[in-house]
Amino acid sequence: KAGVTQTPRYLIKTRGQQVTLSCSPISGHRSVSWYQQTPGQGLQFLFEYFSETQRNKGNFPGRFSGRQFSNSRSEMNVSTLELGDSALYLCASSPPGPTYTFGSGTRLTVV
Amino acid sequence: QQQVKQSPQSLIVQKGGISIINCAYENTAFDYFPWYQQFPGKGPALLIAIRPDVSEKKEGRFTISFNKSAKQFSLHIMDSQPGDSATYFCAALLGAGANNLFFGTGTRLTVIP
């Protein structure tokens, strides 16, 4: 069974640019969540999607957005990048129930 | 405000020893407490989890002890092995349909041969 696939694995962007990250969940999982991981703040919840609807949102500015497609694949977008957005962005999928499987993440570096 | 507090920040244990990591929480609405293991370059992987109506859960060398009245839970790794060297995160999930995990700050475990 394939795991959660995140693309790209690494990304370097310039301040002010925007970026889109992609996540393909485990087949059959309809819930997709996104987390930001940094050395200073640790793992923080960004948002969660289920059946193309955002069900839950963390405490991040509106520059962070996401969406989910009918095949459960999800994307997150960060606009007007800041240096502080440099982080590992993790996607997790889950079946009904709280067993989350994380992908390996996208390492975003903003220069 | 850290909803889940984790200690210690780092831990060094000899091979064959017991590794113990502790977490505490305040929000009594949390109803699911997982532990995750993360290796460098990888995402967190679910290790073991517990609900607050159970005081202990064991899976192989990994045991969660849960103290509901003290609002604390801990991970015990028995017979620690060098391959267990990783960062461990405790987490908590709100019930009632909420789907965001609140993570502890992580413990970097090093098991020396």
Side-chain angles (χ1 to χ4, degrees):
Chain A
K1 196 175 188 181
V4 177
T5 304
Q6 290 189 246
T7 55
R9 286 297 311 275
Y10 303 93
L11 210 47
I12 300 175
K13 289 287 188 179
T14 305
R15 258 184 313 175
Q17 286 187 312
Q18 76 164 19
V19 66
T20 299
L21 312 181
S22 180
C23 172
S24 293
I26 290 173
S27 178
H29 287 192
R30 292 166 63 191
S31 170
V32 173
S33 304
W34 289 88
Y35 288 81
Q36 182 196 63
Q37 185 174 25
T38 60
Q41 299 298 316
L43 280 148
Q44 292 188 291
F45 172 77
L46 280 155
F47 27 66
E48 187 239 356
Y49 286 87
F50 180 85
S51 292
E52 303 177 67
T53 301
Q54 187 182 86
R55 284 203 297 197
N56 210 352
K57 189 177 190 306
N59 191 24
F60 278 82
R63 300 185 297 107
F64 291 81
S65 63
R67 59 178 176 167
Q68 187 180 33
F69 302 95
S70 58
N71 62 358
S72 294
R73 191 176 71 83
S74 178
E75 288 181 347
M76 69 162 279
N77 184 277
V78 188
S79 62
T80 320
L81 283 165
E82 300 176 0
L83 294 178
D85 297 333
S86 295
L88 180 67
Y89 289 88
L90 292 159
C91 166
S93 74
S94 66
T99 52
Y100 296 90
T101 302
F102 283 84
S104 293
T106 294
R107 172 77 61 187
L108 172 64
T109 302
V110 182
V111 298
Chain B
Q1 180 187 357
Q2 193 70 32
Q3 295 243 20
V4 180
K5 294 181 180 174
Q6 182 172 349
S7 63
Q9 195 171 7
S10 63
L11 183 60
I12 299 175
V13 172
Q14 286 229 290
K15 179 183 173 181
I18 303 173
S19 304
I20 302 173
I21 304 170
N22 301 300
C23 285
Y25 64 97
E26 284 298 323
N27 192 338
T28 54
F30 287 137
D31 73 348
Y32 177 76
F33 299 87
W35 284 89
Y36 287 85
Q37 177 190 57
Q38 186 176 28
F39 292 104
K42 299 289 187 183
L46 179 64
L47 205 53
I48 186 172
I50 198 167
R51 297 262 185 203
D53 53 346
V54 176
S55 61
E56 186 175 280
K57 183 174 181 180
K58 184 176 180 180
E59 288 183 3
R61 297 185 294 110
F62 301 92
T63 300
I64 300 178
S65 296
F66 191 88
N67 186 328
K68 189 173 180 179
S69 60
K71 291 186 281 188
Q72 295 174 347
F73 59 111
S74 59
L75 176 70
H76 292 62
I77 305 174
M78 312 300 285
D79 187 27
S80 298
Q81 298 296 312
D84 296 331
S85 297
T87 300
Y88 292 80
F89 293 93
C90 61
L93 187 70
L94 287 169
N99 289 289
N100 51 312
L101 286 163
F102 291 88
F103 282 89
T105 49
T107 297
R108 180 171 288 185
L109 171 66
T110 303
V111 181
I112 52 178

